[in-house]
């Protein structure tokens, strides 16, 4: 039979299975799903320190608001006077 | 006729309120099955009366809803819509029959599925962008609870992943919709969420590209296309059988439906630019997911990856931009909805009887459960595209349509399909056959296992009958969707 059975079973079929399993573990689980779960845990890890900003003290909130207002004004000045957008 | 469509969409929602009043769980189940049966009958009426020679939306209802914002209650069906509408009604009808023995919180289970049915039917028939998005997002809530309450070991992880991942995609879709509405306001002076209105706006190319990407991310997560597919295997493995069936049979079709209904006709030039990207992602999905499928040890995960592979075929056909390829893609949405539902029923039956999805725990089932073995085999062959079943027709049309304009891609996809057939035969061999090498304890157990019961047989037969009818007389069904395909291509 010119070893066709042997080649088929042991090289093509088993090789295909082995490559598939390797790709599943390396690419699908570690790279793609690892990235997805990494984004999820990064969000919750960064969220924890940032959540301390919400400390219930009104004077802090007023300060954040001031920062925000200054930022928006700077942005508007940049847009209208800085020539980013010609209006 | 338009009132039939409205009744069919909202009857399940009304039913959800009705069954939640019942104290008797059998009454809940019987009423739910009856309601979904009525909805299925109505959808068949809509399908039979559908005029395949028009490209207009039929059964149209268009009444003002939030008129200060230009939002209307606008529903109607075109060829693709009516096909998916009927598929949804059929899948839900079988799901309610299958789940009749659910023990935990049966009333809540049936009520959530009834709500889910309304949102699915609504997504396929909405012609107002606001209404579409409402149904599209509304579907996440019942599905989240279905996976989270009735799932298996890692159900909370899977439910959260499913929800956050698909919600993440939907936010891009929302941003795209908002951009579109604002642009429509700038050029016409009034706010309109109407699909018809936006279809007749010629967007400038730069805006089309932005919108295509935003819509595309939302749809691609739902399809799911490679590489945003990893939520699907997790969600499927942990979901209860009924949830998996709806997920594979109906929810995945929303993404591909979105591409055909929204991306292609609204952003034709951008779609043309993105053909190479979509083709590469589709081909990767077909071959890569087929390889992932065969390397699984969990049968549900295997079927989940096979779904990704098939959906790659659908996106390939959609972006080949020829009438027969888009017909084939539409046909494959229905065909895959039927065959994957049947395969997930089979996996669910195996779990009910043997409490495991692992291939290594199973084996030699065919000898002891012959009825199940036959139906499982037919489901699998329908899925891998045996002539005589709907899968074959759709694959043939997609490859034919793609070959006309992009022969190299069609050849690669064809090779991928051959690899695809391997995983089902491999699974069937290891799960159902090889009874000679079984240990004595397993044989004892198999001899005392009951074969299919009536509430298993009815869903199987209904679904496989649908796949068979669509396989032997494809002309009638292709005819229904072909006007939609022609209309889309008229824009190019």
């Amino acid at each position: 039979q010119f070893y066709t059975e042997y080649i088929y079973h042991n090289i093509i079929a088993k090789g295909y299975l082995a490559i598939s399993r390797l790709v599943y573990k390396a690419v699908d689980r570690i790279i793609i799903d690892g990235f997805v779960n990494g984004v999820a845990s990064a969000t919750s890890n960064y969220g924890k320190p940032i959540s301390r900003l919400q400390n219930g003290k009104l004077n802090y909130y007023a300060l954040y608001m001031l920062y925000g207002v200054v930022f928006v004004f700077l942005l508007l000045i940049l847009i209208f006077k800085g020539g980013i957008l010609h209006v | 006729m338009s009132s039939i469509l409205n009744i069919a969409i909202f009857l399940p929602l009304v039913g959800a309120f009705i069954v939640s009043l019942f104290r008797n769980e059998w009454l809940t189940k019987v009423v739910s099955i009856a309601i979904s049966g009525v909805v299925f009958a109505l959808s068949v009426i809509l399908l039979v009366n559908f005029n395949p020679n028009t490209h207009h939306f039929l059964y149209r209802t268009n009444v003002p809803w939030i008129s200060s914002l230009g939002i209307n209650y606008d529903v109607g069906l075109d060829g693709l819509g009516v096909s998916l509408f009927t598929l949804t009604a059929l899948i839900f009808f079988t799901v309610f029959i299958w789940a009749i023995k659910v023990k935990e919180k049966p009333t809540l289970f049936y009520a959530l599925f009834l709500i889910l049915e309304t949102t699915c039917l609504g997504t396929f028939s909405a012609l107002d962008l606001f209404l579409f998005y409402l149904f599209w997002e509304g579907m996440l809530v019942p599905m989240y609870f279905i996976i989270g309450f009735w799932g298996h070991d890692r159900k909370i992880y899977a439910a959260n992943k499913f929800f956050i991942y698909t919600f993440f995609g939907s936010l891009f879709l929302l941003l795209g919709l908002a951009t579109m509405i604002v642009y429509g306001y700038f050029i016409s002076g009034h706010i309109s969420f109407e699909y018809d209105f936006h279809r007749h706006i010629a967007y400038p190319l730069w805006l089309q590209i932005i919108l295509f990407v935003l819509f595309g991310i939302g749809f691609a997560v739902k399809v799911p296309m490679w590489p945003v597919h990893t939520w699907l295997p997790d969600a499927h493995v942990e979901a209860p059988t009924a949830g998996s069936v709806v997920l594979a049979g109906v929810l995945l079709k929303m993404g591909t439906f979105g591409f055909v209904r929204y991306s292609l006709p609204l952003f034709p030039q951008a779609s043309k630019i993105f053909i190479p990207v979509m083709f590469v992602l589709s081909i990767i999905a077909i071959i890569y997911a087929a390889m992932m499928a065969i390397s699984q040890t969990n049968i549900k995960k295997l079927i989940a990856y096979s779904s990704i592979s098939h959906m790659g075929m659908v996106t390939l056909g959609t972006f080949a931009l020829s009438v027969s390829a888009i017909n084939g893609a539409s046909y494959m949405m229905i065909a895959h909805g039927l065959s994957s539902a049947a395969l997930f029923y089979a996996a669910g039956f195996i779990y009910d009887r043997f409490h495991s999805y692992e291939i290594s725990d199973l084996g030699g089932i065919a000898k002891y459960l012959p009825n199940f073995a036959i139906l499982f085999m037919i489901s699998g062959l329908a899925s891998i595209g045996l002539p005589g079943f709907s899968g074959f027709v759709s694959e043939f049309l997609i490859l034919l349509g793609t070959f006309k304009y992009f022969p190299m891609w069609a050849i690669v996809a064809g090779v991928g399909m051959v690899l695809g057939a391997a995983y089902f035969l491999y699974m069937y061999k290891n799960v159902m056959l090889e009874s000679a090498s079984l240990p004595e304890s397993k044989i004892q157990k198999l001899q005392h296992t009951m074969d299919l019961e009536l509430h298993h047989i009815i869903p199987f037969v209904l679904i496989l009958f649908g796949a068979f009818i669509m396989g032997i007389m494809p002309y009638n069904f292709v005819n229904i969707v072909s006007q939609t395909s022609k209309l889309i291509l008229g824009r190019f």
Side-chain angles (χ1 to χ4, degrees):
Chain A
Q1 292 172 334
F2 303 109
Y3 299 102
T4 43
E5 282 278 287
Y6 177 84
I7 290 171
Y8 181 72
H9 274 285
N10 289 311
I11 297 176
I12 298 181
K14 279 191 182 160
Y16 175 58
L17 257 178
I19 293 171
S20 299
R21 285 188 181 137
L22 184 74
V23 173
Y24 172 65
K25 280 189 189 122
V27 179
D28 211 58
R29 286 290 94 186
I30 295 176
I31 298 178
I32 298 179
D33 213 33
F35 177 75
V36 171
N37 287 334
V39 170
S41 49
T43 311
S44 68
N45 288 345
Y46 288 120
K48 257 171 215 153
I50 292 171
S51 72
R52 276 190 225 132
L53 291 176
Q54 195 179 0
N55 54 10
K57 289 174 186 153
L58 273 185
N59 44 355
Y60 276 90
Y61 289 175
L63 187 66
Y64 304 148
M65 253 162 80
L66 188 67
Y67 287 153
V69 170
V70 169
F71 176 74
V72 169
F73 266 100
L74 284 178
L75 208 65
L76 287 176
I77 290 167
L78 211 65
I79 289 172
F80 286 105
K81 296 285 178 186
I84 292 178
L85 199 75
H86 295 284
V87 188
Chain B
M1 289 304 273
S2 60
S3 58
I4 292 184
L5 177 62
N6 290 320
I7 292 169
I9 295 172
F10 289 104
L11 191 62
L13 188 65
V14 175
F17 284 109
I18 294 171
V19 298
S20 59
L21 302 174
F22 294 155
R23 294 238 155 215
N24 183 331
E25 70 173 73
W26 279 103
L27 198 59
T28 304
K29 289 172 179 172
V30 171
V31 169
S32 304
I33 293 171
I35 285 173
S36 62
V38 170
V39 172
F40 176 53
L42 293 177
S43 75
V44 170
I45 293 174
L46 294 177
L47 182 70
V48 171
N49 284 314
F50 190 81
N51 175 6
N53 299 318
T54 175
H55 60 262
H56 292 292
F57 291 104
L58 298 181
Y59 317 124
R60 187 90 179 256
T61 309
N62 190 359
V63 290
W65 179 20
I66 309 173
S67 37
S68 58
L69 289 175
I71 297 168
N72 290 357
Y73 172 76
D74 189 357
V75 293
L77 294 171
D78 61 352
L80 178 60
V82 78
S83 317
L84 285 165
F85 197 89
T86 314
L87 170 78
T88 307
L90 171 65
I91 299 277
F92 272 94
F93 181 47
T94 62
V95 157
F96 286 116
I97 296 173
W98 181 279
I100 197 154
K101 289 208 168 162
V102 65
K103 292 200 179 64
E104 274 176 80
K105 307 192 194 82
T107 309
L108 184 60
F109 185 84
Y110 274 77
L112 285 173
F113 269 99
L114 285 167
I115 296 171
L116 188 61
E117 182 168 8
T118 286
T119 58
C120 292
L121 295 174
T123 308
F124 293 131
S125 45
L127 292 176
D128 182 278
L129 298 171
F130 183 82
L131 195 65
F132 168 74
Y133 192 76
L134 198 71
F135 282 129
W136 171 279
E137 285 297 11
M139 166 241 106
L140 289 181
V141 179
M143 201 63 208
Y144 175 75
F145 288 113
I146 287 165
I147 299 175
F149 279 157
W150 290 273
H152 303 300
D153 306 336
R154 294 165 75 221
K155 55 190 178 187
I156 304 297
Y157 168 76
N160 282 334
K161 192 170 184 177
F162 163 76
F163 190 91
I164 294 172
Y165 213 135
T166 41
F167 194 71
F168 172 79
S170 305
L171 288 178
F172 287 95
L173 178 62
L174 180 64
L175 197 61
L177 285 176
T179 314
M180 227 164 92
I181 305 300
V182 171
Y183 184 80
Y185 175 72
F186 276 136
I187 64 159
S188 74
H190 64 276
I191 305 174
S192 176
F193 282 80
E194 233 176 292
Y195 175 72
D196 277 344
F197 171 78
H198 287 279
R199 199 165 51 168
H200 293 114
I201 295 178
Y203 295 98
L205 184 61
W206 62 272
L207 188 65
Q208 281 197 22
I209 291 174
I210 294 172
L211 290 174
F212 184 90
V213 171
L214 290 173
F215 274 66
I217 293 172
F219 295 144
V221 169
K222 197 66 136 251
V223 169
M225 292 177 75
W226 189 88
V228 286
H229 63 275
T230 50
W231 63 271
L232 184 80
D234 284 319
H236 266 310
V237 171
E238 303 306 328
T241 304
S244 289
V245 168
V246 172
L247 198 57
V250 181
L251 301 195
L252 302 192
K253 309 299 166 296
M254 289 180 180
T256 49
F257 168 79
F259 276 122
V260 177
R261 169 67 68 79
Y262 294 95
S263 296
L264 288 183
L266 294 175
F267 327 121
Q269 285 146 304
S271 304
K272 238 177 181 167
I273 291 173
F274 278 97
I275 287 176
V277 178
M278 301 308 279
F279 268 22
V280 169
L281 293 180
S282 307
I283 295 281
I284 292 177
I286 294 170
I287 295 175
Y288 175 89
M291 287 175 72
M292 294 305 98
I294 206 164
S295 62
Q296 298 307 315
T297 56
N298 181 310
I299 49 175
K300 240 182 164 180
K301 238 178 180 169
L302 193 155
I303 304 168
Y305 275 107
S306 86
S307 297
I308 300 171
S309 183
H310 280 114
M311 297 319 274
M313 210 59 193
V314 176
T315 47
L316 180 82
T318 306
F319 283 89
L321 300 182
S322 71
V323 173
S324 54
I326 297 181
N327 280 343
S330 310
Y331 213 77
M332 187 135 202
M333 291 184 212
I334 316 293
H336 175 261
L338 296 170
S339 63
S340 68
L343 282 178
F344 275 112
Y345 278 137
F349 175 78
I350 289 174
Y351 188 82
D352 279 355
R353 291 288 189 263
F354 304 102
H355 306 289
S356 175
Y357 289 126
E358 289 297 319
I359 289 178
S360 54
D361 294 344
L362 306 164
I365 298 174
K367 194 173 168 188
Y368 302 94
L369 307 178
N371 297 343
F372 172 63
I374 292 168
L375 288 174
F376 189 18
M377 192 73 204
I378 295 175
S379 319
L381 293 177
S383 162
I384 63 179
L386 190 80
F389 287 100
S390 48
F392 172 74
V393 180
S394 55
E395 281 171 14
F396 185 76
L397 283 172
I398 290 173
L399 290 180
L400 186 76
T402 312
F403 193 82
K404 227 190 241 166
Y405 299 104
F406 310 96
M408 277 314 293
W409 294 100
I411 291 169
V412 178
V415 173
M417 298 304 308
V418 177
L419 292 180
Y423 56 72
F424 172 72
L425 297 173
Y426 172 81
M427 169 175 76
Y428 196 84
K429 171 174 158 273
N430 287 316
V431 171
M432 302 302 287
L433 309 176
E434 312 229 313
S435 52
S437 58
L438 281 180
E440 193 62 34
S441 60
K442 269 192 183 169
I443 293 176
Q444 285 279 321
K445 206 183 154 201
L446 277 167
Q447 277 168 342
H448 296 289
T449 307
M450 213 192 340
D451 207 338
L452 293 170
E453 293 164 70
L454 191 63
H455 69 279
H456 299 128
I457 292 174
I458 296 171
F460 262 123
V461 169
L462 278 174
I463 284 177
L464 293 177
F465 182 71
F468 180 65
I469 288 286
M470 282 181 64
I472 55 166
M473 32 195 274
Y475 178 75
N476 300 340
F477 293 92
V478 172
N479 212 12
I480 290 175
V481 293
S482 70
Q483 286 295 338
T484 309
S485 314
K486 279 179 196 154
L487 180 72
I488 290 164
L489 289 171
R491 300 267 297 170
F492 285 88

